[in-house]
Amino acid sequence: MFCLDAQPSDGEREVWNQVNAVLQDSERMLSDLQSYKGAGQEIRDAIQNPNDIQLQERAWNSVCPLVVRLKRFYEFSLRLEKALQSLLESLTCPPYTPTQHLEREQALAKQFAEILHFTLRFDELKMRNPAIQNDFSYYRRTLSRNRINNMHLDIESEVNNEMANRMSLFYAEATPVLKTLSNATTRFVAENKTLPIENTTDCLSTMASVCKVMLETPEYRSRFTSEESLMFCMRVMVGVIILYDHVHPVGAFSKASKIDVHHETSER
């Protein structure tokens, strides 16, 4: 299902091209997040010396480009959300079963996996970087204070108060991209009332089962050429289980679940 060189068929190509345009930017996003250092020292200096205008300006000028970068991450999560919904539409629509879809449309299944792989890597980096929350909190406080003082703020055209509110909700999450995709999957099910929910949950549980087989079977496991390809499969399995848990009426951890979570997690 996760054939690394799966090429899209004519029927897959339109959706594959849309999703590929998003995925092409994913490594750059990860690189930008990995190199995110924050403006902690400048912010501390400004807070400790509230009357020093020069230090206030230095902190503000350090934070603004970082906030623009945080906006790029947030906007990329919205593009991923649309890409995921396009893939869900393709992989769950009648007349084929989810298993038939995953067998017929391996290139789209691989893209679904790539989105989840990116998501868990991004959220892991975000969780390990408290500077993101600190920088953004300082930005919002300063934005509010300076508006009261009628100061002209060029960055408001880039990250205005409404955008800042949306970004604040996004970054308040421990795993913001996974939360975005979980909500998108739940919304997909809610908005497609004529589509049986099983089409979506079976798609996710089948992907989890395939990952499980690939990890547990020596023949398949021996094909992992690197630690990263092994981690790819593990992250995808975790990702689809979490999505399944959000949309299935009883969740992934019930005995009625089609995913044997207790067995899988005990073996990890």
Side-chain angles (χ1 to χ4, degrees), residues 196-236:
I197 189 172
E198 290 77 21
N199 286 37
T200 304
T201 54
D202 286 358
C203 174
L204 298 171
S205 63
T206 302
M207 289 182 75
S209 298
V210 169
C211 290
K212 180 173 179 284
V213 169
M214 289 171 75
L215 290 166
E216 287 182 350
T217 309
E219 180 193 346
Y220 290 125
R221 195 174 173 117
S222 66
R223 295 181 192 173
F224 290 123
T225 54
S226 66
E227 180 70 18
E228 185 55 31
S229 58
L230 184 66
M231 290 302 296
F232 177 92
C233 197
M234 287 183 173
R235 287 189 183 110
V236 173

Side-chain angles (χ1 to χ4, degrees), residues 87-99 101-102 112 188-189 192 194-206 244 247-248 258:
L87 290 172
L88 281 171
E89 284 173 18
S90 297
L91 294 171
T92 61
C93 64
Y96 302 112
T97 66
T99 302
H101 272 300
L102 294 172
F112 199 114
F188 171 79
V189 169
N192 291 273
T194 58
L195 187 74
I197 189 172
E198 290 77 21
N199 286 37
T200 304
T201 54
D202 286 358
C203 174
L204 298 171
S205 63
T206 302
Y244 181 98
V247 297
H248 196 279
K258 288 193 176 180

Side-chain angles (χ1 to χ4, degrees), residues 125-142:
L125 288 170
K126 183 266 178 186
M127 279 193 287
R128 295 206 308 251
N129 197 336
I132 289 171
Q133 286 282 73
N134 294 338
D135 293 347
F136 198 67
S137 295
Y138 176 82
Y139 171 78
R140 294 199 75 197
R141 287 197 308 272
T142 307

